Amino acid sequence: MLSDRVKKGLEKAPHRSLFRALGFTDGELERPLIGVVNSFNEIIPGHIHLRDISDAVKAGVRMAGGVPVEFPTIGICDGIAMNHRGMKYSLASRELIADSVEVMVEAHAFDGLVLVTACDKIVPGMLMAAARLNIPSIMISGGPMLAGRFQGRNVSLNSVFVGVGQVKAGAMTPEELAELEEVACPGCGSCAGMFTANSMNCLTEALGIALPGNGTIPAVSAARRRLAKLSGMRAVEMVKEQLTPSRIFTPAAIGNALTVDMALGCSTNTILHLTAIADEAGVELDLRGVNEISARTPNLCRLDPAGPFHLQDLDEAGGIPAVLNVLGEAGLVDGEALTVTGRTIKESVSGRAVRRPEVIRSTKDPHSPTGGLAILFGNLAPEGAVVKQAAVAPEMLTHRGPARVFESEEEAVAAIMNGAFERGDVLVIRYEGPRGGPGMQEMLTATATLAGLGRDRDVALLTDGRFSGATRGASIGHVSPEAAAKGPIAALQNGDLIEIDIPGRRLEVLLDEKEINARLASLPQWRPKISHGYLGRYATMVSSASKGAVFAKADTEHGSK
């Protein structure tokens, strides 16, 4: 066992004395040492109950003959961080999370890991660490929040963001918004729609790194606690089997995750995170290949914000096992990919039926014949840009309009709130990329306000930053290279005609290459908005969004020598 390096031998007597200070017995020192990484804190609704989940995990570890040792990592609530300086830290926190897990595991020689998580950057950060460390690892999330109820319909956090725009448009009263605010988030769990947190938790099942049910069983359910116990038990068994992430995070697993991503219509942020996880696992993920997967994968589910259903509906419909089974029967996923169960995907989901066909459609009657996400390329995005096409109104799938350029999210939101734009405009928000932001902050306020104003069907948004998984409309993010790296988006001027062709996977500005290059050459040298603290270091180290916004390696353009 790996933990023998801190437990066995004469020279480890001092180490054992420290374990004894923790209360360890001789018998416990003979058993596998399982790290339980708990991202509990008291600021994220998706994490507020994780002590409960962690306790269940530790019970499972003990039941299987292991010794659980809990340690923490940080987590940011994207909703609370939204639309102020705090959002710059959200994506940047992913690298800190991965690094902190690596540091704890390497320093203390754990035999295996259970990753207890729930939200946004915490899930991919932990998965990056698992791939990097390559010791037996399993993930258990805290589960999704139940939808709230407002005026006879199910609602979520996104409903409140949209409500702000509805009040501005006169479609909702301030009193109604206050009532909605009270009921939209009824308790613990990751926010109820197919936003980034739930997207990533669902994809852990497709990746094979979590047990069936991890993505959809509600946070408040006793079934979630049972799943946590089973995950703890399975971690001990995986140590004995030496079932490591390198056997799970294969090209087939990444392909399966992307396929489920397309079928569900997940958050655009999944492309950032799957690219980063693949990078840690040594698997190449070509963004043009994402379009190939999207082209052959039908969109089977429309969950909030793309449709009326929430994660509890998906769970009732059969969850990710049912989705995988439907896709498997159509030959769209690799059923031989290995999972933490010790069985293949095909074996793990065999017989899982769809119980609510209105939630999970068949491949013969999909919402659309192609997947929920699309990667656009062109002279505005040579390295790609991402759009959640499943949440775009049909009339906006192709669009040509004049650019209205903003140098920050704050500037753009002020203009949207004041109605300072015209029908058909393409609102461009730049210098919000990984380096330029820094931190590539989510911009849900901008997109949700437009939706609340009823303008998501006649105005497009374009950014080198990113949008929330709760976004709907023609909102195109991750434009790469970013403005701070003198990508073509930095050359745009008000009035330039931009052409969006989502079915054709194109994003173009109607300028010739000579004009674009001349404008870029005339720009002053970019200077970071923040040059101190962690964000200052992050801005100098982070790579392009097209590469997952990971820290650049030593031999790449932004890395140190």
Short mmCIF file of all heavy atoms in Angstrom, two decimals, residues 342-374:
data_model
loop_
_atom_site.label_atom_id
_atom_site.label_comp_id
_atom_site.label_asym_id
_atom_site.label_seq_id
_atom_site.Cartn_x
_atom_site.Cartn_y
_atom_site.Cartn_z
N GLY A 342 -15.98 -1.21 -11.36
CA GLY A 342 -15.22 -2.38 -11.78
C GLY A 342 -15.82 -3.04 -13.01
O GLY A 342 -15.26 -3.99 -13.55
N ARG A 343 -16.98 -2.52 -13.43
CA ARG A 343 -17.65 -3.02 -14.63
C ARG A 343 -17.58 -1.97 -15.72
O ARG A 343 -17.24 -0.81 -15.48
CB ARG A 343 -19.11 -3.37 -14.32
CG ARG A 343 -19.28 -4.37 -13.19
CD ARG A 343 -20.73 -4.84 -13.10
NE ARG A 343 -21.65 -3.73 -12.93
CZ ARG A 343 -22.11 -3.30 -11.77
NH1 ARG A 343 -21.72 -3.89 -10.66
NH2 ARG A 343 -22.95 -2.28 -11.69
N THR A 344 -17.96 -2.36 -16.92
CA THR A 344 -18.00 -1.42 -18.04
C THR A 344 -19.26 -0.57 -17.95
O THR A 344 -20.19 -0.87 -17.22
CB THR A 344 -17.99 -2.17 -19.37
OG1 THR A 344 -19.21 -2.94 -19.47
CG2 THR A 344 -16.78 -3.08 -19.51
N ILE A 345 -19.26 0.50 -18.73
CA ILE A 345 -20.46 1.34 -18.84
C ILE A 345 -21.66 0.49 -19.25
O ILE A 345 -22.75 0.58 -18.65
CB ILE A 345 -20.25 2.47 -19.88
CG1 ILE A 345 -19.35 3.57 -19.31
CG2 ILE A 345 -21.57 3.03 -20.36
CD1 ILE A 345 -20.04 4.55 -18.39
N LYS A 346 -21.47 -0.36 -20.25
CA LYS A 346 -22.58 -1.18 -20.75
C LYS A 346 -23.13 -2.07 -19.65
O LYS A 346 -24.35 -2.19 -19.47
CB LYS A 346 -22.10 -2.03 -21.92
CG LYS A 346 -23.20 -2.89 -22.55
CD LYS A 346 -22.66 -3.66 -23.76
CE LYS A 346 -23.77 -4.52 -24.39
NZ LYS A 346 -23.25 -5.25 -25.58
N GLU A 347 -22.26 -2.69 -18.88
CA GLU A 347 -22.70 -3.57 -17.79
C GLU A 347 -23.38 -2.77 -16.68
O GLU A 347 -24.36 -3.24 -16.07
CB GLU A 347 -21.51 -4.33 -17.22
CG GLU A 347 -20.93 -5.36 -18.18
CD GLU A 347 -19.57 -5.88 -17.74
OE1 GLU A 347 -18.86 -5.17 -16.98
OE2 GLU A 347 -19.21 -7.00 -18.14
N SER A 348 -22.89 -1.57 -16.42
CA SER A 348 -23.40 -0.76 -15.32
C SER A 348 -24.80 -0.22 -15.58
O SER A 348 -25.57 -0.01 -14.64
CB SER A 348 -22.46 0.41 -15.02
OG SER A 348 -21.21 -0.06 -14.58
N VAL A 349 -25.14 0.05 -16.85
CA VAL A 349 -26.43 0.70 -17.15
C VAL A 349 -27.40 -0.23 -17.87
O VAL A 349 -28.50 0.19 -18.23
CB VAL A 349 -26.23 1.99 -17.97
CG1 VAL A 349 -25.27 2.92 -17.27
CG2 VAL A 349 -25.75 1.68 -19.39
N SER A 350 -27.02 -1.48 -18.06
CA SER A 350 -27.88 -2.41 -18.78
C SER A 350 -29.26 -2.51 -18.12
O SER A 350 -29.37 -2.66 -16.90
CB SER A 350 -27.23 -3.80 -18.81
OG SER A 350 -28.06 -4.73 -19.45
N GLY A 351 -30.29 -2.39 -18.92
CA GLY A 351 -31.65 -2.52 -18.43
C GLY A 351 -32.22 -1.27 -17.79
O GLY A 351 -33.39 -1.29 -17.36
N ARG A 352 -31.45 -0.18 -17.71
CA ARG A 352 -31.97 1.05 -17.11
C ARG A 352 -32.95 1.72 -18.08
O ARG A 352 -32.56 2.28 -19.09
CB ARG A 352 -30.83 2.00 -16.77
CG ARG A 352 -29.85 1.46 -15.73
CD ARG A 352 -30.52 1.24 -14.38
NE ARG A 352 -29.54 0.89 -13.37
CZ ARG A 352 -29.06 1.73 -12.45
NH1 ARG A 352 -29.50 2.96 -12.41
NH2 ARG A 352 -28.16 1.33 -11.58
N ALA A 353 -34.21 1.68 -17.75
CA ALA A 353 -35.26 2.14 -18.66
C ALA A 353 -35.57 3.62 -18.44
O ALA A 353 -35.38 4.17 -17.35
CB ALA A 353 -36.52 1.32 -18.45
N VAL A 354 -36.08 4.26 -19.48
CA VAL A 354 -36.58 5.63 -19.38
C VAL A 354 -37.99 5.57 -18.81
O VAL A 354 -38.89 4.95 -19.37
CB VAL A 354 -36.59 6.31 -20.76
CG1 VAL A 354 -37.26 7.67 -20.69
CG2 VAL A 354 -35.17 6.44 -21.30
N ARG A 355 -38.20 6.25 -17.68
CA ARG A 355 -39.50 6.22 -17.00
C ARG A 355 -40.37 7.42 -17.32
O ARG A 355 -41.57 7.40 -17.06
CB ARG A 355 -39.29 6.10 -15.49
CG ARG A 355 -38.60 4.80 -15.07
CD ARG A 355 -38.64 4.61 -13.55
NE ARG A 355 -37.81 5.58 -12.85
CZ ARG A 355 -36.57 5.38 -12.47
NH1 ARG A 355 -35.98 4.21 -12.73
NH2 ARG A 355 -35.89 6.31 -11.84
N ARG A 356 -39.77 8.47 -17.85
CA ARG A 356 -40.55 9.65 -18.26
C ARG A 356 -40.05 10.10 -19.63
O ARG A 356 -39.12 10.89 -19.76
CB ARG A 356 -40.39 10.79 -17.23
CG ARG A 356 -41.08 10.54 -15.91
CD ARG A 356 -40.94 11.73 -14.96
NE ARG A 356 -41.50 12.95 -15.51
CZ ARG A 356 -41.43 14.15 -14.92
NH1 ARG A 356 -40.82 14.27 -13.75
NH2 ARG A 356 -41.96 15.22 -15.48
N PRO A 357 -40.66 9.58 -20.70
CA PRO A 357 -40.17 9.87 -22.05
C PRO A 357 -40.28 11.33 -22.45
O PRO A 357 -39.63 11.76 -23.41
CB PRO A 357 -41.02 8.97 -22.94
CG PRO A 357 -42.22 8.62 -22.12
CD PRO A 357 -41.77 8.61 -20.71
N GLU A 358 -41.08 12.11 -21.74
CA GLU A 358 -41.13 13.54 -22.05
C GLU A 358 -39.87 14.26 -21.55
O GLU A 358 -39.54 15.35 -22.02
CB GLU A 358 -42.39 14.19 -21.46
CG GLU A 358 -42.37 14.44 -19.96
CD GLU A 358 -42.75 13.22 -19.11
OE1 GLU A 358 -42.72 12.09 -19.65
OE2 GLU A 358 -43.07 13.40 -17.92
N VAL A 359 -39.16 13.64 -20.60
CA VAL A 359 -37.93 14.23 -20.06
C VAL A 359 -36.71 13.71 -20.83
O VAL A 359 -35.83 14.49 -21.20
CB VAL A 359 -37.78 13.92 -18.56
CG1 VAL A 359 -36.46 14.50 -18.02
CG2 VAL A 359 -38.96 14.49 -17.77
N ILE A 360 -36.65 12.40 -21.05
CA ILE A 360 -35.57 11.80 -21.84
C ILE A 360 -36.19 11.23 -23.11
O ILE A 360 -36.86 10.19 -23.08
CB ILE A 360 -34.85 10.67 -21.07
CG1 ILE A 360 -34.31 11.17 -19.73
CG2 ILE A 360 -33.70 10.10 -21.92
CD1 ILE A 360 -33.74 10.06 -18.85
N ARG A 361 -36.04 11.91 -24.19
CA ARG A 361 -36.63 11.46 -25.46
C ARG A 361 -35.81 10.32 -26.07
O ARG A 361 -34.64 10.12 -25.72
CB ARG A 361 -36.73 12.62 -26.44
CG ARG A 361 -37.75 13.67 -26.05
CD ARG A 361 -38.02 14.59 -27.22
NE ARG A 361 -39.04 15.57 -26.93
CZ ARG A 361 -39.55 16.41 -27.83
NH1 ARG A 361 -39.11 16.37 -29.09
NH2 ARG A 361 -40.47 17.28 -27.49
N SER A 362 -36.39 9.63 -26.99
CA SER A 362 -35.68 8.57 -27.70
C SER A 362 -34.82 9.18 -28.81
O SER A 362 -35.03 10.33 -29.22
CB SER A 362 -36.67 7.58 -28.31
OG SER A 362 -37.30 8.14 -29.46
N THR A 363 -33.87 8.42 -29.30
CA THR A 363 -33.02 8.91 -30.39
C THR A 363 -33.81 9.05 -31.69
O THR A 363 -33.36 9.73 -32.61
CB THR A 363 -31.84 7.96 -30.61
OG1 THR A 363 -32.33 6.63 -30.83
CG2 THR A 363 -30.89 7.97 -29.42
N LYS A 364 -35.00 8.45 -31.75
CA LYS A 364 -35.84 8.58 -32.94
C LYS A 364 -36.75 9.81 -32.88
O LYS A 364 -37.33 10.19 -33.88
CB LYS A 364 -36.67 7.31 -33.11
CG LYS A 364 -35.84 6.07 -33.38
CD LYS A 364 -36.72 4.84 -33.53
CE LYS A 364 -35.87 3.59 -33.81
NZ LYS A 364 -36.70 2.36 -33.93
N ASP A 365 -36.87 10.40 -31.69
CA ASP A 365 -37.73 11.58 -31.53
C ASP A 365 -37.02 12.61 -30.65
O ASP A 365 -37.53 13.01 -29.60
CB ASP A 365 -39.07 11.17 -30.90
CG ASP A 365 -40.01 12.36 -30.72
OD1 ASP A 365 -39.97 13.28 -31.57
OD2 ASP A 365 -40.77 12.38 -29.72
N PRO A 366 -35.82 13.07 -31.05
CA PRO A 366 -35.06 14.01 -30.21
C PRO A 366 -35.60 15.43 -30.33
O PRO A 366 -36.40 15.74 -31.23
CB PRO A 366 -33.65 13.90 -30.78
CG PRO A 366 -33.88 13.65 -32.24
CD PRO A 366 -35.11 12.76 -32.30
N HIS A 367 -35.13 16.28 -29.45
CA HIS A 367 -35.43 17.71 -29.59
C HIS A 367 -34.77 18.26 -30.84
O HIS A 367 -35.32 19.14 -31.51
CB HIS A 367 -34.95 18.47 -28.36
CG HIS A 367 -35.75 18.20 -27.12
ND1 HIS A 367 -37.00 18.75 -26.90
CD2 HIS A 367 -35.48 17.44 -26.03
CE1 HIS A 367 -37.46 18.34 -25.73
NE2 HIS A 367 -36.56 17.54 -25.20
N SER A 368 -33.56 17.78 -31.12
CA SER A 368 -32.86 18.14 -32.34
C SER A 368 -31.93 16.98 -32.69
O SER A 368 -31.53 16.21 -31.82
CB SER A 368 -32.06 19.43 -32.17
OG SER A 368 -30.95 19.22 -31.33
N PRO A 369 -31.60 16.83 -33.97
CA PRO A 369 -30.76 15.70 -34.37
C PRO A 369 -29.30 15.86 -33.98
O PRO A 369 -28.53 14.91 -34.08
CB PRO A 369 -30.92 15.67 -35.90
CG PRO A 369 -31.26 17.08 -36.26
CD PRO A 369 -32.07 17.63 -35.12
N THR A 370 -28.92 17.07 -33.55
CA THR A 370 -27.54 17.30 -33.14
C THR A 370 -27.49 17.75 -31.68
O THR A 370 -28.51 18.09 -31.10
CB THR A 370 -26.88 18.37 -34.03
OG1 THR A 370 -27.66 19.57 -33.98
CG2 THR A 370 -26.78 17.89 -35.47
N GLY A 371 -26.28 17.76 -31.13
CA GLY A 371 -26.10 17.94 -29.70
C GLY A 371 -26.36 19.34 -29.19
O GLY A 371 -26.55 20.30 -29.95
N GLY A 372 -26.34 19.47 -27.85
CA GLY A 372 -26.70 20.71 -27.19
C GLY A 372 -25.66 21.80 -27.29
O GLY A 372 -25.98 22.98 -27.12
N LEU A 373 -24.40 21.46 -27.55
CA LEU A 373 -23.32 22.45 -27.65
C LEU A 373 -22.73 22.46 -29.06
O LEU A 373 -22.79 21.45 -29.77
CB LEU A 373 -22.21 22.14 -26.65
CG LEU A 373 -22.55 22.14 -25.16
CD1 LEU A 373 -21.31 21.85 -24.34
CD2 LEU A 373 -23.18 23.44 -24.73
N ALA A 374 -22.17 23.59 -29.42
CA ALA A 374 -21.48 23.70 -30.71
C ALA A 374 -20.22 24.54 -30.52
O ALA A 374 -20.20 25.48 -29.72
CB ALA A 374 -22.37 24.33 -31.76
#
